[in-house]
Amino acid sequence: MTKKSIPDVLRIAVAQLNPTVGDIAGNLAKAREARADAARQGADLVLFTELFLAGYPPEDLVLKPAFLAACERAAEDFAKDTSDNGPGVIIGVPLKRKSGVHNAIIIADGGKIIGERFKVDLPNYGEFDEKRVFQPGPDMPGPVNFRGVRIGIPICEDIWGELGVCETLAESGAEILLVPNGSPYYRAKMDVRHQVAIKQVIESGLPLLYANQLGGQDELVFDGASFAINADHSLAFQMSQFEETVAMTMWRRGEEGWACVEGPMSKIPEREEADYRACLLGLRDYVNKNGFKNVVLGLSGGIDSAICAALAVDALGEERLRAIMMPYRYTSSDSLKDAEDCARALGCRYDIVPIHEPVDGFSHALTQLFEGTKEGITEENLQSRARGTILMAVSNKFGSMVVTTGNKSEMSVGYATLYGDMNGGFNPIKDLYKMQVYALSRWRNTHVPPGALGPSGEVIPKNIIDKAPSAELRPNQTDQDSLPPYPVLDDILECLVENEMGVDDIVARGHDRDTVHRIEHLLYIAEYKRRQAAPGVKITKKNFGRDRRYPITNRFRDRG
């Protein structure tokens, strides 16, 4: 190739899209549509995200030979599309080779696959366990020559780990780093990604484009927010968070190498908005990708069910939510009014199903077995379990998914009833502590997030936010009868769960030692409940389930 034929401008389209795990045909159709869009915008190359054709993370699906074969056929078919003289493509796909099954990408241009690269650094921490199903690339990857430009393609963890993949690519002649990612959301993750990218830019001396997946997959939410860092460490472009889009970027070769000179510059949401939108996207995709037409939840007049109702309407529309109030003799008039006001503000269907008869029926049936015992938590839990049974009956009858509404504070200390308020298919606030629930509720009352289907204005009545939280399972009950105030509880739990702090260190923050011991004990003994809980959106750095895997049988206590 002569010097004149080497391009000085490269137009790269970033496909920040929402694939579905296992929907290979659907993901291929989405990729084709994105490539056609990019072609209309004049792209030379389209960069897709990690394992796009399979959906990410595919987990044990990649152990099925039929799945791998279908993914590779889709990659080959997509490569043939590039014979039209349109843009080339870089797209993620699992590939089985003599060296094993790999998390891979193919590069296609001119109607054929011109290269494939394998992920070298397989993550095996937190929500990731790729070493179970993939083999690392047998060799460090070299750059790919795309129309005269030597492109390095490290895959996700290859820029997060310490194997020196980017430096190796630079040393072997790469001019630009294009990174397909499947990086899930947690609070403040954007800052972490930027820091990781800048570190690699400093070490390699090369500009880096970070393309990230979008969408909900079970507990994980991928927030997009793709970006690029130029070799001078400046932010070259920033794509939107939580929004599916194909964005055009322009790269120009200068005396000091390549730089991104054009691209979108979107504003990244602040903390409450980002958390709310993550919960919204996670709920929407779980419901829609699993084929549920609508959802149902118990609307108690409390803060947790109110914010879940708001999320459901924002995610799915008012016509797809059915809210049911299930009063008993301890349900206050305030709760009845607050639940009705919330449903009216959201515009969703609202039904009242009293539970006096089923609860009294259970009590009567158990009279002989319980003779001589005192009433207590068992009888209280009959109320919760009657409500859970009613919601599951509605689910069975009408095909609605039950949205369960317990927050992380309750799930941490076991203040949730198995086969009662824990019944359900998905929990959008499972990883939000109680004080975070309040913060997001206040935020939603003054904001409507982009893409939300719900109304503006106050959708969670002020009285729900202001009143003392209560399960209303006995007269005059409040949560603080048996728990420390939620600001205290949440701080202790965050120390124990997110930060794995010892008792002495938590006490040094100003907490009472006996209280910390008690909360630690409650946290450990509730593990069996959490194992049976519905999945829910990951918001914190360490959620229950994928990130934090403690034994159920566990006698350890920190006696500091």
Side-chain angles (χ1 to χ4, degrees), residues 161-207:
E162 300 296 331
L163 295 184
V165 177
C166 294
E167 285 184 274
T168 300
L169 285 164
E171 290 167 359
S172 53
E175 301 171 76
I176 303 174
L177 299 175
L178 303 185
V179 190
N181 293 271
S183 177
Y185 175 83
Y186 61 72
R187 190 176 298 121
K189 184 74 169 285
M190 277 302 309
D191 291 339
V192 178
R193 291 188 194 128
H194 283 174
Q195 291 164 11
V196 167
I198 289 171
K199 179 176 183 287
Q200 295 299 342
V201 169
I202 291 171
E203 293 181 358
S204 68
L206 299 177

Side-chain angles (χ1 to χ4, degrees), residues 533-549:
V537 178
K538 172 183 165 69
I539 294 294
T540 67
K541 194 171 182 179
K542 188 173 285 189
N543 75 333
F544 291 126
R546 296 190 75 101
D547 295 325
R548 186 182 187 277
R549 306 178 191 183

Side-chain angles (χ1 to χ4, degrees), residues 156 178 247 270 308 349 428 461 491 544 547 552:
C156 201
L178 303 185
E270 298 294 332
C308 286
R349 175 170 177 174
D491 189 67
F544 291 126
D547 295 325
I552 295 173

Side-chain angles (χ1 to χ4, degrees), residues 482-493:
S482 53
L483 291 173
Y486 276 114
V488 174
L489 175 64
D490 288 357
D491 189 67
I492 293 173
L493 288 171

Side-chain angles (χ1 to χ4, degrees), residues 492-547:
I492 293 173
L493 288 171
E494 192 165 347
C495 291
L496 289 168
V497 177
E498 268 73 50
N499 300 320
E500 299 287 1
M501 290 170 62
V503 167
D504 286 343
D505 292 332
I506 300 173
V507 171
R509 290 171 62 88
H511 294 295
D512 173 72
R513 186 175 297 274
D514 289 341
T515 301
V516 176
H517 278 307
R518 177 168 173 263
I519 298 306
E520 182 202 39
H521 177 69
L522 292 174
L523 175 67
Y524 285 155
I525 65 173
E527 185 63 36
Y528 80 101
K529 288 188 177 183
R530 292 190 289 271
R531 292 286 183 95
Q532 301 179 65
V537 178
K538 172 183 165 69
I539 294 294
T540 67
K541 194 171 182 179
K542 188 173 285 189
N543 75 333
F544 291 126
R546 296 190 75 101
D547 295 325

Side-chain angles (χ1 to χ4, degrees), residues 160-415:
W160 290 73
E162 300 296 331
L163 295 184
V165 177
C166 294
E167 285 184 274
T168 300
L169 285 164
E171 290 167 359
S172 53
E175 301 171 76
I176 303 174
L177 299 175
L178 303 185
V179 190
N181 293 271
S183 177
Y185 175 83
Y186 61 72
R187 190 176 298 121
K189 184 74 169 285
M190 277 302 309
D191 291 339
V192 178
R193 291 188 194 128
H194 283 174
Q195 291 164 11
V196 167
I198 289 171
K199 179 176 183 287
Q200 295 299 342
V201 169
I202 291 171
E203 293 181 358
S204 68
L206 299 177
L208 182 151
L209 192 166
Y210 188 108
N212 193 33
Q213 180 175 307
L214 182 85
Q217 172 58 30
D218 297 342
E219 301 101 318
L220 302 179
V221 169
F222 299 89
D223 55 310
S226 306
F227 63 93
I229 304 291
N230 274 327
D232 64 1
H233 314 158
S234 64
L235 183 66
F237 75 84
Q238 176 67 66
M239 291 173 65
S240 58
Q241 199 172 20
F242 306 110
E243 294 178 20
E244 191 171 28
T245 186
V246 177
M248 181 62 64
T249 70
M250 181 181 290
W251 296 71
R252 193 179 301 279
R253 187 201 303 267
E255 291 183 3
E256 311 229 338
W258 287 90
C260 179
V261 296
E262 287 183 23
M265 194 60 75
S266 299
K267 183 180 178 182
I268 297 300
E270 298 294 332
R271 173 172 168 158
E272 279 77 22
E273 179 182 352
D275 285 355
Y276 191 93
R277 291 175 70 180
C279 294
L280 189 161
L281 180 58
L283 176 61
R284 174 182 286 161
D285 276 1
Y286 191 87
V287 171
N288 290 340
K289 289 181 178 181
N290 285 291
F292 293 103
K293 293 181 180 179
N294 45 54
V295 297
V296 60
L297 61 75
L299 193 62
S300 67
I303 189 74
D304 297 326
S305 63
I307 195 172
C308 286
L311 283 162
V313 170
D314 282 343
L316 307 169
E318 63 186 46
E319 72 283 356
R320 295 178 68 185
L321 170 64
R322 183 176 197 165
I324 302 178
M325 159 56 94
M326 293 166 282
Y328 189 57
R329 64 173 64 112
Y330 305 126
T331 302
S332 68
S333 57
D334 272 356
S335 292
L336 284 164
K337 182 179 186 302
D338 291 342
E340 183 177 358
D341 288 347
C342 183
R344 185 181 296 112
L346 290 167
C348 64
R349 175 170 177 174
Y350 177 67
D351 297 299
I352 298 177
V353 180
I355 62 168
H356 302 81
E357 291 185 6
V359 173
D360 292 348
F362 280 126
S363 298
H364 180 72
L366 293 165
T367 298
Q368 187 173 350
L369 288 176
F370 288 1
E371 187 176 0
T373 65
K374 294 177 64 176
E375 285 195 8
I377 292 175
T378 301
E379 287 73 20
E380 292 177 12
N381 285 344
L382 288 177
Q383 299 166 52
S384 179
R385 292 190 170 117
R387 292 180 175 117
T389 299
I390 288 169
L391 291 174
M392 291 308 300
V394 172
S395 174
N396 290 161
K397 178 64 73 174
F398 301 107
S400 308
M401 188 198 79
V402 178
V403 174
T404 186
T405 61
N407 62 68
K408 191 171 187 177
S409 303
E410 294 173 351
M411 296 300 297
S412 295
V413 295
Y415 278 53

